[in-house]
Amino acid sequence: MTFKRMALGALLAATVISSAAVIAQSDKPTIPSALEAKIKDLPKAKREFLTSDPAEMFAGSYDKLFERLATKSPQEIDAYIEAMMDAVAASKFNAKTDMAAIPLDTDNEDFNGWKLRRPSGLDPKREAGPFELSYYANGRGGGVYGGGIATFAGAPVAIFPEDLIAGKVDVAIVGAPLDMGSGYRGAKGGPSAMRTQYGAGGIDMYTMVDPSKELKIVDYGDIAIDNMSTERTVAHVRERVAEIARTGALPFIVGGDHSLEYSDVAGLADVHGKGSFGVVHFDSHYDAGKGGVHFITHGAPVYRAVKEGHVLGKNYIQVGLRGPWPEKEGFEWMRDNGVRYHAMPEIEKNGWAATMERALKEARESGKKIFISFDVDVLDPAFIPGTGTPVPGGLTMREAIPIVRRLCAENELVGFEIVELAPVLDPTYRSALNANFIMHACLTGVAMRKKGIRQAGFLSDLTTDHGQPFYGEKAAKDGKTEKVDPTYGRGGRRRPTT
Protein backbone atom coordinates (compact mmCIF):
# COMPACT_ATOMS: atom_id res chain seq x y z
CA MET A 1 0.00 0.00 0.00
CA THR A 2 1.44 3.38 -0.97
CA PHE A 3 1.85 6.23 1.50
CA LYS A 4 -0.87 8.21 -0.30
CA ARG A 5 -3.35 5.35 0.00
CA MET A 6 -2.48 4.89 3.68
CA ALA A 7 -2.98 8.60 4.31
CA LEU A 8 -6.25 8.54 2.39
CA GLY A 9 -7.45 5.55 4.38
CA ALA A 10 -6.68 7.33 7.64
CA LEU A 11 -8.54 10.41 6.43
CA LEU A 12 -11.59 8.44 5.39
CA ALA A 13 -11.57 6.48 8.63
CA ALA A 14 -11.92 9.77 10.47
CA THR A 15 -15.16 10.57 8.63
CA VAL A 16 -18.62 9.50 9.70
CA ILE A 17 -20.08 7.76 6.65
CA SER A 18 -23.55 6.28 6.20
CA SER A 19 -24.03 2.68 5.13
CA ALA A 20 -24.47 3.84 1.54
CA ALA A 21 -21.37 6.01 1.86
CA VAL A 22 -23.51 9.05 1.15
CA ILE A 23 -23.74 12.10 3.39
CA ALA A 24 -26.64 14.48 2.91
CA GLN A 25 -25.55 18.08 2.52
CA SER A 26 -27.51 21.29 2.67
CA ASP A 27 -25.23 22.87 0.09
CA LYS A 28 -24.84 20.02 -2.38
CA PRO A 29 -22.69 20.95 -5.38
CA THR A 30 -24.24 21.08 -8.82
CA ILE A 31 -22.87 18.48 -11.19
CA PRO A 32 -22.00 20.07 -14.57
CA SER A 33 -24.51 19.20 -17.28
CA ALA A 34 -21.88 17.53 -19.48
CA LEU A 35 -20.89 15.24 -16.63
CA GLU A 36 -24.53 14.68 -15.68
CA ALA A 37 -25.16 13.31 -19.16
CA LYS A 38 -22.33 10.82 -18.77
CA ILE A 39 -23.54 9.44 -15.43
CA LYS A 40 -27.30 9.37 -16.11
CA ASP A 41 -27.28 5.59 -16.58
CA LEU A 42 -25.24 4.84 -13.44
CA PRO A 43 -26.97 3.40 -10.34
CA LYS A 44 -28.47 6.02 -8.02
CA ALA A 45 -26.00 5.20 -5.23
CA LYS A 46 -23.03 5.95 -7.48
CA ARG A 47 -24.53 9.21 -8.77
CA GLU A 48 -25.22 10.39 -5.20
CA PHE A 49 -21.73 9.41 -4.09
CA LEU A 50 -20.28 12.09 -6.38
CA THR A 51 -21.74 14.81 -4.14
CA SER A 52 -20.75 13.20 -0.84
CA ASP A 53 -17.98 14.33 1.51
CA PRO A 54 -15.78 11.27 0.89
CA ALA A 55 -15.84 11.87 -2.88
CA GLU A 56 -14.72 15.47 -2.38
CA MET A 57 -11.83 14.38 -0.17
CA PHE A 58 -10.41 12.16 -2.90
CA ALA A 59 -9.83 15.19 -5.13
CA GLY A 60 -9.60 18.04 -2.62
CA SER A 61 -12.70 19.81 -3.91
CA TYR A 62 -15.80 19.05 -5.97
CA ASP A 63 -14.61 21.31 -8.78
CA LYS A 64 -11.36 19.38 -9.06
CA LEU A 65 -13.23 16.06 -8.97
CA PHE A 66 -15.69 17.09 -11.70
CA GLU A 67 -12.86 18.47 -13.82
CA ARG A 68 -10.98 15.18 -13.46
CA LEU A 69 -14.03 13.15 -14.55
CA ALA A 70 -14.98 15.46 -17.44
CA THR A 71 -12.47 13.88 -19.82
CA LYS A 72 -13.37 10.29 -18.95
CA SER A 73 -15.83 8.00 -20.67
CA PRO A 74 -18.98 6.77 -18.85
CA GLN A 75 -17.29 3.41 -18.31
CA GLU A 76 -14.15 5.06 -16.87
CA ILE A 77 -16.29 7.25 -14.61
CA ASP A 78 -18.16 4.18 -13.40
CA ALA A 79 -14.87 2.43 -12.57
CA TYR A 80 -13.49 5.58 -10.90
CA ILE A 81 -16.53 5.98 -8.65
CA GLU A 82 -16.54 2.28 -7.81
CA ALA A 83 -12.86 2.48 -6.80
CA MET A 84 -13.63 5.40 -4.45
CA MET A 85 -16.58 3.59 -2.92
CA ASP A 86 -14.49 0.45 -2.46
CA ALA A 87 -11.87 2.51 -0.63
CA VAL A 88 -14.54 4.01 1.63
CA ALA A 89 -15.94 0.56 2.41
CA ALA A 90 -12.47 -0.82 3.11
CA SER A 91 -11.84 2.01 5.60
CA LYS A 92 -14.74 0.95 7.82
CA PHE A 93 -14.57 -1.31 10.84
CA ASN A 94 -14.65 -4.98 9.97
CA ALA A 95 -15.80 -7.15 12.86
CA LYS A 96 -14.11 -10.18 11.32
CA THR A 97 -10.64 -8.69 11.07
CA ASP A 98 -10.48 -5.62 13.35
CA MET A 99 -10.22 -5.23 17.12
CA ALA A 100 -13.13 -3.25 18.55
CA ALA A 101 -11.10 -2.48 21.65
CA ILE A 102 -7.49 -2.77 22.74
CA PRO A 103 -7.20 -5.85 24.96
CA LEU A 104 -5.56 -5.53 28.37
CA ASP A 105 -4.26 -8.23 30.63
CA THR A 106 -6.80 -8.03 33.42
CA ASP A 107 -5.09 -10.92 35.21
CA ASN A 108 -1.98 -8.83 35.73
CA GLU A 109 -1.44 -8.26 39.45
CA ASP A 110 -0.31 -4.69 38.75
CA PHE A 111 -3.31 -3.75 36.60
CA ASN A 112 -4.16 -0.69 38.74
CA GLY A 113 -0.74 -0.32 40.33
CA TRP A 114 0.09 2.73 38.22
CA LYS A 115 -2.58 4.81 39.98
CA LEU A 116 -2.57 3.19 43.43
CA ARG A 117 -2.48 5.69 46.31
CA ARG A 118 0.55 5.28 48.51
CA PRO A 119 -0.53 3.72 51.84
CA SER A 120 -0.11 6.17 54.69
CA GLY A 121 1.33 3.42 56.89
CA LEU A 122 4.51 3.40 54.80
CA ASP A 123 5.48 6.95 55.83
CA PRO A 124 6.37 8.60 59.13
CA LYS A 125 3.35 10.11 60.83
CA ARG A 126 2.91 13.83 60.39
CA GLU A 127 0.21 16.41 60.83
CA ALA A 128 -1.89 17.00 57.75
CA GLY A 129 -1.09 20.16 55.82
CA PRO A 130 1.31 21.59 53.23
CA PHE A 131 5.04 21.35 53.92
CA GLU A 132 8.27 22.80 52.53
CA LEU A 133 10.86 20.76 50.65
CA SER A 134 13.80 23.12 50.98
CA TYR A 135 16.81 22.73 53.29
CA TYR A 136 17.27 26.50 53.12
CA ALA A 137 15.22 29.05 55.04
CA ASN A 138 15.01 31.42 52.06
CA GLY A 139 15.46 28.99 49.19
CA ARG A 140 12.04 27.63 48.36
CA GLY A 141 11.84 25.45 45.28
CA GLY A 142 11.93 27.56 42.15
CA GLY A 143 13.15 30.60 44.11
CA VAL A 144 15.85 33.09 43.15
CA TYR A 145 18.60 31.11 44.85
CA GLY A 146 17.46 27.76 43.50
CA GLY A 147 17.76 25.90 46.81
CA GLY A 148 15.67 22.88 47.64
CA ILE A 149 13.48 20.94 45.23
CA ALA A 150 11.78 22.88 42.43
CA THR A 151 8.01 23.28 42.78
CA PHE A 152 5.29 25.15 40.90
CA ALA A 153 5.52 28.86 41.82
CA GLY A 154 8.04 27.93 44.54
CA ALA A 155 5.10 26.74 46.63
CA PRO A 156 5.09 24.21 49.45
CA VAL A 157 3.95 20.68 48.72
CA ALA A 158 0.75 18.83 49.52
CA ILE A 159 0.22 15.14 48.81
CA PHE A 160 -3.21 14.13 50.01
CA PRO A 161 -6.65 15.81 50.12
CA GLU A 162 -6.26 15.98 53.89
CA ASP A 163 -3.30 18.32 53.34
CA LEU A 164 -5.41 20.65 51.22
CA ILE A 165 -8.20 20.74 53.79
CA ALA A 166 -5.93 21.20 56.81
CA GLY A 167 -3.96 23.93 55.03
CA LYS A 168 -7.10 25.71 53.80
CA VAL A 169 -5.45 25.74 50.39
CA ASP A 170 -6.76 28.19 47.80
CA VAL A 171 -4.97 26.81 44.73
CA ALA A 172 -3.53 23.33 44.15
CA ILE A 173 -1.29 23.24 41.09
CA VAL A 174 -1.04 19.70 39.76
CA GLY A 175 0.88 18.26 36.83
CA ALA A 176 -0.71 15.89 34.31
CA PRO A 177 2.03 14.79 31.88
CA LEU A 178 -0.23 13.07 29.37
CA ASP A 179 1.38 12.52 25.97
CA MET A 180 -0.77 10.00 24.12
CA GLY A 181 -3.63 12.22 22.92
CA SER A 182 -1.44 14.16 20.50
CA GLY A 183 0.15 13.18 17.23
CA TYR A 184 3.35 15.00 18.22
CA ARG A 185 4.97 13.83 21.44
CA GLY A 186 6.66 16.11 23.95
CA ALA A 187 3.84 17.65 26.01
CA LYS A 188 4.53 15.32 28.92
CA GLY A 189 7.56 17.47 29.72
CA GLY A 190 5.39 20.50 30.46
CA PRO A 191 5.02 20.13 34.25
CA SER A 192 8.72 19.55 34.95
CA ALA A 193 9.73 22.46 32.67
CA MET A 194 7.37 24.89 34.37
CA ARG A 195 8.56 23.81 37.81
CA THR A 196 12.18 24.55 36.99
CA GLN A 197 11.52 27.89 35.27
CA TYR A 198 10.56 31.11 37.00
CA GLY A 199 7.59 33.34 36.22
CA ALA A 200 4.80 31.70 38.23
CA GLY A 201 5.62 33.45 41.51
CA GLY A 202 6.19 37.00 42.71
CA ILE A 203 4.37 40.28 42.40
CA ASP A 204 2.31 41.35 39.42
CA MET A 205 3.49 44.85 38.52
CA TYR A 206 0.28 45.71 36.71
CA THR A 207 -1.84 45.38 39.86
CA MET A 208 0.84 45.31 42.59
CA VAL A 209 -0.72 42.11 43.88
CA ASP A 210 1.49 39.17 44.84
CA PRO A 211 -0.53 35.95 44.57
CA SER A 212 2.12 34.04 46.52
CA LYS A 213 1.38 36.28 49.51
CA GLU A 214 -2.38 36.56 49.11
CA LEU A 215 -3.15 32.93 48.33
CA LYS A 216 -2.33 29.61 49.91
CA ILE A 217 -0.81 27.83 46.93
CA VAL A 218 0.61 24.31 46.88
CA ASP A 219 2.29 22.00 44.42
CA TYR A 220 0.08 18.90 44.44
CA GLY A 221 2.57 16.77 42.53
CA ASP A 222 1.85 14.99 39.27
CA ILE A 223 -1.16 12.83 38.53
CA ALA A 224 -0.19 9.30 37.50
CA ILE A 225 -0.36 8.83 33.75
CA ASP A 226 -0.66 5.68 31.69
CA ASN A 227 1.11 6.96 28.58
CA MET A 228 0.05 3.87 26.69
CA SER A 229 -3.64 4.69 27.12
CA THR A 230 -5.29 8.08 26.92
CA GLU A 231 -8.60 6.49 27.90
CA ARG A 232 -7.27 5.01 31.14
CA THR A 233 -5.45 8.23 31.91
CA VAL A 234 -8.32 10.67 31.49
CA ALA A 235 -10.50 8.56 33.78
CA HIS A 236 -7.93 8.83 36.56
CA VAL A 237 -7.25 12.53 35.93
CA ARG A 238 -10.99 13.12 36.22
CA GLU A 239 -10.94 11.47 39.65
CA ARG A 240 -7.99 13.52 40.87
CA VAL A 241 -9.34 16.85 39.62
CA ALA A 242 -12.62 16.13 41.39
CA GLU A 243 -10.62 15.19 44.49
CA ILE A 244 -9.02 18.64 44.56
CA ALA A 245 -12.28 20.47 43.88
CA ARG A 246 -14.10 18.68 46.72
CA THR A 247 -11.64 20.14 49.24
CA GLY A 248 -12.55 23.68 48.20
CA ALA A 249 -9.20 24.32 46.52
CA LEU A 250 -9.05 25.47 42.91
CA PRO A 251 -7.34 22.91 40.65
CA PHE A 252 -4.72 24.43 38.35
CA ILE A 253 -3.74 21.66 35.93
CA VAL A 254 -0.45 21.79 34.05
CA GLY A 255 -0.38 19.50 31.01
CA GLY A 256 0.21 17.44 29.10
CA ASP A 257 -1.76 17.55 25.87
CA HIS A 258 -5.22 19.03 25.40
CA SER A 259 -7.07 15.73 25.79
CA LEU A 260 -6.97 16.80 29.45
CA GLU A 261 -9.67 19.41 28.90
CA TYR A 262 -12.26 16.64 28.76
CA SER A 263 -11.14 14.99 31.99
CA ASP A 264 -10.67 18.32 33.77
CA VAL A 265 -14.10 19.64 32.77
CA ALA A 266 -15.79 16.32 33.55
CA GLY A 267 -14.09 16.10 36.95
CA LEU A 268 -15.25 19.61 37.85
CA ALA A 269 -18.77 18.82 36.63
CA ASP A 270 -18.77 15.78 38.93
CA VAL A 271 -18.36 18.20 41.85
CA HIS A 272 -20.13 21.39 40.77
CA GLY A 273 -22.79 19.82 38.57
CA LYS A 274 -23.27 19.42 34.83
CA GLY A 275 -23.96 22.68 33.03
CA SER A 276 -23.14 24.71 36.14
CA PHE A 277 -20.14 26.55 34.71
CA GLY A 278 -18.76 27.90 31.45
CA VAL A 279 -15.41 27.44 29.71
CA VAL A 280 -13.19 30.03 28.09
CA HIS A 281 -11.04 28.08 25.66
CA PHE A 282 -7.85 29.74 24.36
CA ASP A 283 -6.55 27.86 21.35
CA SER A 284 -5.57 28.20 17.72
CA HIS A 285 -7.82 25.16 17.11
CA TYR A 286 -11.43 24.71 18.17
CA ASP A 287 -10.83 21.14 19.43
CA ALA A 288 -14.40 20.01 18.79
CA GLY A 289 -13.43 17.36 16.26
CA LYS A 290 -15.80 14.46 15.94
CA GLY A 291 -16.16 11.32 13.89
CA GLY A 292 -12.65 10.07 14.49
CA VAL A 293 -11.66 6.55 15.44
CA HIS A 294 -10.72 7.67 18.96
CA PHE A 295 -13.36 9.23 21.20
CA ILE A 296 -10.78 11.38 22.97
CA THR A 297 -7.74 13.10 21.49
CA HIS A 298 -6.24 16.56 21.89
CA GLY A 299 -8.46 17.68 19.00
CA ALA A 300 -11.76 16.44 20.43
CA PRO A 301 -12.20 17.41 24.12
CA VAL A 302 -14.64 20.27 23.48
CA TYR A 303 -16.98 18.08 21.43
CA ARG A 304 -16.99 15.33 24.01
CA ALA A 305 -17.52 17.74 26.93
CA VAL A 306 -20.52 19.26 25.14
CA LYS A 307 -21.80 15.92 23.85
CA GLU A 308 -21.86 14.44 27.35
CA GLY A 309 -23.49 17.56 28.80
CA HIS A 310 -20.70 18.60 31.18
CA VAL A 311 -20.74 22.11 29.71
CA LEU A 312 -23.47 23.56 27.51
CA GLY A 313 -22.36 24.79 24.11
CA LYS A 314 -23.79 28.24 24.84
CA ASN A 315 -21.42 28.48 27.82
CA TYR A 316 -18.30 27.88 25.72
CA ILE A 317 -16.21 30.83 24.53
CA GLN A 318 -13.42 30.25 22.01
CA VAL A 319 -10.54 32.74 21.68
CA GLY A 320 -7.69 32.87 19.17
CA LEU A 321 -8.82 30.42 16.45
CA ARG A 322 -6.81 30.50 13.23
CA GLY A 323 -5.05 28.31 10.71
CA PRO A 324 -6.47 25.58 8.46
CA TRP A 325 -8.87 24.00 10.98
CA PRO A 326 -11.80 24.04 11.45
CA GLU A 327 -13.37 24.45 8.05
CA LYS A 328 -16.89 25.73 7.41
CA GLU A 329 -18.56 22.77 9.11
CA GLY A 330 -16.70 23.47 12.35
CA PHE A 331 -17.90 27.06 12.55
CA GLU A 332 -21.42 25.93 11.70
CA TRP A 333 -21.27 23.39 14.54
CA MET A 334 -20.25 26.15 16.95
CA ARG A 335 -23.04 28.42 15.74
CA ASP A 336 -25.61 25.63 15.94
CA ASN A 337 -24.62 24.90 19.55
CA GLY A 338 -24.52 28.50 20.73
CA VAL A 339 -20.73 28.66 21.08
CA ARG A 340 -19.28 32.17 21.11
CA TYR A 341 -16.04 32.29 19.15
CA HIS A 342 -13.43 34.98 18.55
CA ALA A 343 -11.16 33.94 15.72
CA MET A 344 -8.14 35.94 14.62
CA PRO A 345 -10.06 37.29 11.58
CA GLU A 346 -12.36 39.09 14.04
CA ILE A 347 -9.33 40.52 15.80
CA GLU A 348 -7.91 41.63 12.45
CA LYS A 349 -11.23 43.30 11.62
CA ASN A 350 -12.11 44.90 14.97
CA GLY A 351 -8.81 45.06 16.86
CA TRP A 352 -7.71 43.20 19.98
CA ALA A 353 -9.06 45.69 22.53
CA ALA A 354 -12.64 45.49 21.21
CA THR A 355 -12.51 41.71 20.84
CA MET A 356 -11.11 41.26 24.35
CA GLU A 357 -13.86 43.41 25.88
CA ARG A 358 -16.48 41.45 23.96
CA ALA A 359 -15.12 38.12 25.23
CA LEU A 360 -14.86 39.40 28.80
CA LYS A 361 -18.47 40.65 28.65
CA GLU A 362 -19.67 37.28 27.35
CA ALA A 363 -17.86 35.45 30.15
CA ARG A 364 -19.76 37.52 32.74
CA GLU A 365 -23.17 37.44 31.04
CA SER A 366 -24.32 34.03 32.22
CA GLY A 367 -23.37 34.75 35.82
CA LYS A 368 -21.85 31.27 35.97
CA LYS A 369 -18.46 30.31 37.29
CA ILE A 370 -15.87 29.64 34.61
CA PHE A 371 -13.07 27.22 33.80
CA ILE A 372 -10.16 28.49 31.72
CA SER A 373 -8.52 26.15 29.26
CA PHE A 374 -5.33 27.70 27.87
CA ASP A 375 -3.58 25.90 25.04
CA VAL A 376 -0.19 27.57 24.64
CA ASP A 377 -0.45 27.37 20.84
CA VAL A 378 -2.97 30.24 21.02
CA LEU A 379 0.16 32.34 21.40
CA ASP A 380 2.27 33.15 18.37
CA PRO A 381 5.15 30.67 17.89
CA ALA A 382 7.53 33.58 18.48
CA PHE A 383 6.54 33.33 22.15
CA ILE A 384 5.87 29.59 22.36
CA PRO A 385 7.98 27.63 19.87
CA GLY A 386 7.75 24.66 22.22
CA THR A 387 4.37 23.24 21.21
CA GLY A 388 3.40 20.42 18.89
CA THR A 389 0.94 22.30 16.65
CA PRO A 390 2.18 25.89 16.30
CA VAL A 391 0.22 28.28 14.07
CA PRO A 392 1.63 31.68 13.00
CA GLY A 393 -0.30 34.87 13.64
CA GLY A 394 -1.29 34.22 17.23
CA LEU A 395 -1.71 36.31 20.35
CA THR A 396 1.21 38.16 21.85
CA MET A 397 2.05 37.91 25.53
CA ARG A 398 0.95 41.54 25.91
CA GLU A 399 -2.48 40.52 24.64
CA ALA A 400 -2.79 37.23 26.51
CA ILE A 401 -1.72 38.30 30.00
CA PRO A 402 -4.36 41.03 30.51
CA ILE A 403 -7.33 38.95 29.35
CA VAL A 404 -6.30 35.94 31.47
CA ARG A 405 -5.74 38.14 34.53
CA ARG A 406 -9.07 39.89 34.02
CA LEU A 407 -11.02 36.68 33.43
CA CYS A 408 -9.68 35.27 36.69
CA ALA A 409 -10.29 38.53 38.58
CA GLU A 410 -13.72 39.41 37.22
CA ASN A 411 -15.30 35.94 37.36
CA GLU A 412 -15.55 33.21 39.96
CA LEU A 413 -13.30 30.39 38.87
CA VAL A 414 -13.75 26.62 39.19
CA GLY A 415 -10.33 25.84 37.76
CA PHE A 416 -7.61 26.57 35.22
CA GLU A 417 -5.46 24.49 32.90
CA ILE A 418 -2.46 25.24 30.72
CA VAL A 419 -1.63 22.58 28.16
CA GLU A 420 0.41 21.57 25.10
CA LEU A 421 3.74 22.95 26.32
CA ALA A 422 6.37 20.68 24.72
CA PRO A 423 9.73 21.94 26.01
CA VAL A 424 11.74 19.44 23.95
CA LEU A 425 10.74 21.43 20.85
CA ASP A 426 12.25 24.65 22.24
CA PRO A 427 16.04 24.87 22.65
CA THR A 428 15.56 28.04 24.72
CA TYR A 429 13.71 28.59 27.98
CA ARG A 430 11.08 31.04 26.69
CA SER A 431 8.21 28.58 26.16
CA ALA A 432 8.20 27.41 29.78
CA LEU A 433 8.88 30.95 30.97
CA ASN A 434 5.91 32.40 29.10
CA ALA A 435 3.66 29.52 30.15
CA ASN A 436 4.49 30.32 33.77
CA PHE A 437 3.66 33.98 33.26
CA ILE A 438 0.26 33.03 31.80
CA MET A 439 -0.46 30.90 34.87
CA HIS A 440 0.79 33.75 37.09
CA ALA A 441 -1.71 36.10 35.41
CA CYS A 442 -4.58 33.84 36.47
CA LEU A 443 -3.17 33.42 39.98
CA THR A 444 -3.03 37.20 40.21
CA GLY A 445 -6.67 37.47 39.19
CA VAL A 446 -7.71 34.94 41.85
CA ALA A 447 -5.69 36.87 44.43
CA MET A 448 -7.35 40.12 43.38
CA ARG A 449 -10.79 38.62 44.00
CA LYS A 450 -9.69 37.40 47.39
CA LYS A 451 -8.50 40.93 48.24
CA GLY A 452 -11.85 42.33 47.10
CA ILE A 453 -10.55 44.09 43.96
CA ARG A 454 -13.52 43.81 41.59
CA GLN A 455 -13.00 46.88 39.41
CA ALA A 456 -13.03 45.86 35.74
CA GLY A 457 -9.62 46.26 34.17
CA PHE A 458 -8.03 47.35 37.44
CA LEU A 459 -4.43 48.58 37.21
CA SER A 460 -2.33 50.00 40.02
CA ASP A 461 -1.95 53.79 40.22
CA LEU A 462 1.60 53.25 41.45
CA THR A 463 2.75 51.66 38.20
CA THR A 464 0.57 53.54 35.72
CA ASP A 465 1.51 57.12 36.72
CA HIS A 466 4.78 58.32 38.23
CA GLY A 467 3.09 61.46 39.58
CA GLN A 468 6.14 63.66 39.13
CA PRO A 469 7.22 66.25 40.05
CA PHE A 470 4.73 66.16 42.95
CA TYR A 471 5.99 63.00 44.70
CA GLY A 472 9.67 63.88 44.29
CA GLU A 473 9.19 67.37 45.69
CA LYS A 474 7.07 66.07 48.58
CA ALA A 475 9.68 63.42 49.45
CA ALA A 476 12.41 66.09 49.50
CA LYS A 477 10.40 68.18 51.94
CA ASP A 478 9.74 65.13 54.13
CA GLY A 479 13.41 64.11 54.14
CA LYS A 480 12.78 60.83 52.26
CA THR A 481 15.06 61.51 49.30
CA GLU A 482 18.09 59.23 49.05
CA LYS A 483 21.19 60.83 50.64
CA VAL A 484 24.29 60.91 48.48
CA ASP A 485 27.23 58.82 49.75
CA PRO A 486 30.40 59.10 47.61
CA THR A 487 31.97 56.17 49.51
CA TYR A 488 29.10 53.78 48.78
CA GLY A 489 30.21 50.44 47.40
CA ARG A 490 33.90 50.81 48.26
CA GLY A 491 33.96 48.06 50.86
CA GLY A 492 32.45 47.87 54.31
CA ARG A 493 29.66 49.96 55.69
CA ARG A 494 30.74 53.52 56.33
CA ARG A 495 29.05 56.45 57.95
CA PRO A 496 27.90 58.96 55.32
CA THR A 497 29.99 62.17 55.19
CA THR A 498 28.31 65.43 56.13
Side-chain angles (χ1 to χ4, degrees), residues 27 48 52 61 66 78 86 165 186 200 211 215 235 295 330 340 363 422 445 457 470 475 492 496:
D27 54 349
E48 290 182 340
S52 69
S61 72
F66 299 155
D78 185 8
D86 286 345
I165 295 170
L215 302 173
F295 287 112
R340 273 77 60 87
F470 172 76

Side-chain angles (χ1 to χ4, degrees), residues 31-368:
I31 298 176
S33 57
L35 180 58
E36 188 74 62
K38 290 184 177 183
I39 66 171
K40 62 183 178 61
D41 294 328
L42 293 182
K44 181 181 178 182
K46 288 186 177 180
R47 295 198 309 271
E48 290 182 340
F49 182 85
L50 278 182
T51 56
S52 69
D53 285 351
E56 180 189 24
M57 284 189 290
F58 275 98
S61 72
Y62 292 112
D63 289 340
K64 290 180 180 178
L65 176 63
F66 299 155
E67 182 180 350
R68 188 174 298 174
L69 296 178
T71 59
K72 298 183 181 295
S73 67
Q75 294 77 17
E76 289 174 327
I77 293 173
D78 185 8
Y80 197 96
I81 296 174
E82 188 167 337
M84 289 192 292
M85 294 179 73
D86 286 345
V88 169
S91 297
K92 293 182 179 180
F93 172 75
N94 186 330
K96 295 180 180 179
T97 60
D98 301 324
M99 291 190 298
I102 299 173
L104 300 172
D105 183 4
T106 55
D107 292 329
N108 191 296
E109 293 183 358
D110 201 36
F111 187 82
N112 281 317
W114 65 282
K115 62 175 184 176
L116 182 67
R117 173 171 168 169
R118 181 177 174 82
S120 58
L122 300 181
D123 299 317
K125 288 189 177 183
R126 64 174 178 85
E127 291 186 8
F131 55 93
E132 299 283 355
L133 293 180
S134 180
Y135 170 92
Y136 300 96
N138 296 314
R140 294 171 66 175
V144 175
Y145 302 107
I149 298 172
T151 61
F152 290 124
V157 167
I159 298 178
F160 302 120
E162 306 91 272
D163 296 323
L164 303 181
I165 295 170
K168 298 180 180 179
V169 170
D170 296 304
V171 175
I173 309 175
V174 63
L178 171 64
D179 215 0
M180 279 291 286
S182 170
Y184 206 120
R185 303 289 180 258
K188 68 180 180 181
S192 60
M194 287 180 65
R195 280 191 178 96
T196 55
Q197 190 53 256
Y198 80 97
I203 198 164
D204 172 68
M205 187 184 291
Y206 299 87
T207 60
M208 293 308 289
V209 172
D210 186 341
S212 298
K213 292 182 178 178
E214 301 296 336
L215 302 173
K216 294 179 180 177
I217 304 171
V218 299
D219 185 327
Y220 203 51
D222 281 357
I223 299 174
I225 301 296
D226 180 351
N227 264 317
M228 294 184 187
S229 172
T230 306
E231 290 76 11
R232 289 229 293 171
T233 292
V234 295
H236 182 53
V237 171
R238 178 174 178 172
E239 295 170 344
R240 294 297 307 279
V241 169
E243 171 187 276
I244 295 170
R246 287 191 184 97
T247 69
L250 288 176
F252 272 49
I253 304 100
V254 176
D257 71 56
H258 217 162
S259 306
L260 293 165
E261 181 175 0
Y262 166 72
S263 53
D264 298 343
V265 165
L268 290 166
D270 291 340
V271 177
H272 297 283
K274 285 189 171 185
S276 66
F277 57 91
V279 177
V280 182
H281 179 266
F282 289 89
D283 206 324
S284 60
H285 314 95
Y286 84 139
D287 286 0
K290 59 178 179 176
V293 175
H294 297 277
F295 287 112
I296 182 64
T297 70
H298 74 154
V302 173
Y303 179 76
R304 186 164 178 179
V306 172
K307 185 69 172 177
E308 294 184 6
H310 300 298
V311 178
L312 302 178
K314 67 179 182 179
N315 293 326
Y316 249 102
I317 299 173
Q318 298 263 17
V319 179
L321 306 180
R322 62 191 188 279
W325 188 67
E327 298 181 12
K328 181 182 178 182
E329 292 77 14
F331 284 98
E332 289 175 344
W333 180 88
M334 288 192 284
R335 282 189 168 182
D336 291 344
N337 286 278
V339 176
R340 273 77 60 87
Y341 55 82
H342 303 285
M344 295 308 290
E346 178 188 349
I347 294 169
E348 184 172 321
K349 180 180 180 180
N350 300 328
W352 171 247
T355 304
M356 177 177 71
E357 291 298 336
R358 185 182 180 197
L360 287 164
K361 180 175 180 288
E362 289 169 349
R364 293 190 297 266
E365 276 178 357
S366 69
K368 293 179 180 290

